[in-house]
């Protein structure tokens, strides 16, 4: 099973930017390139929700709340996926989790492999 480690979280003011990284290990680069990668987040008292996904073919999908502000990308040579977050808002405050799943597995909070999460806090 792929192991995922997130980094890059922190405290920023509204309007600021952060770049999250998710490094994959414990599996081959072939599997990393095959899998659909995603970022999810969970705020206090709320369910974990989709932020963005990217397929092996480069197709991206974003939640309406982050569209135009966040960008998901991957570096196959480094087995790493990124989430560039711009124009951050207080409502973006959450623990952000990285997800990896085979393309034949439907998306869901109980699907695939997950990282431990990284905290993002946006002050107003």
């Amino acid at each position: 099973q792929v192991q995922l480690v997130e980094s890059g979280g922190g405290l920023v003011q509204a309007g600021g930017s952060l770049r999250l990284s998710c490094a994959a290990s414990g599996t081959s680069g072939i599997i990393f390139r095959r899998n659909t990668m995603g970022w999810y987040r969970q705020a206090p008292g709320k369910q974990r929700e989709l932020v963005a996904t990217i397929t092996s073919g480069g197709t991206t999908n974003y939640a309406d709340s982050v569209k135009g502000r966040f960008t998901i990308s991957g570096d196959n040579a480094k087995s790493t996926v990124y989430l560039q977050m711009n124009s951050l808002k207080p409502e973006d405050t959450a623990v952000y989790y990285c997800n990896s799943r085979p393309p034949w597995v439907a998306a869901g909070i109980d699907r695939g492999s997950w990282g431990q999460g990284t905290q993002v806090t946006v002050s107003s």
Side-chain angles (χ1 to χ4, degrees), residues 53-120:
T53 60
I54 184 168
T55 69
S56 61
T59 300
T60 57
N61 181 46
Y62 298 92
D64 288 340
S65 60
V66 307
K67 197 171 298 181
R69 299 188 297 120
F70 292 9
T71 302
I72 187 171
S73 62
D75 186 336
N76 288 332
K78 297 180 179 179
S79 295
T80 300
V81 65
Y82 304 96
L83 184 68
Q84 178 66 47
M85 304 185 295
N86 299 325
S87 301
L88 284 163
K89 304 175 181 179
E91 50 262 45
D92 294 319
T93 296
V95 177
Y96 284 70
Y97 297 90
C98 182
N99 173 262
S100 175
R101 61 178 174 85
W104 57 84
V105 175
I109 60 174
D110 61 338
R111 310 288 176 83
S113 299
W114 295 89
Q116 82 290 343
T118 185
Q119 177 71 49
V120 172

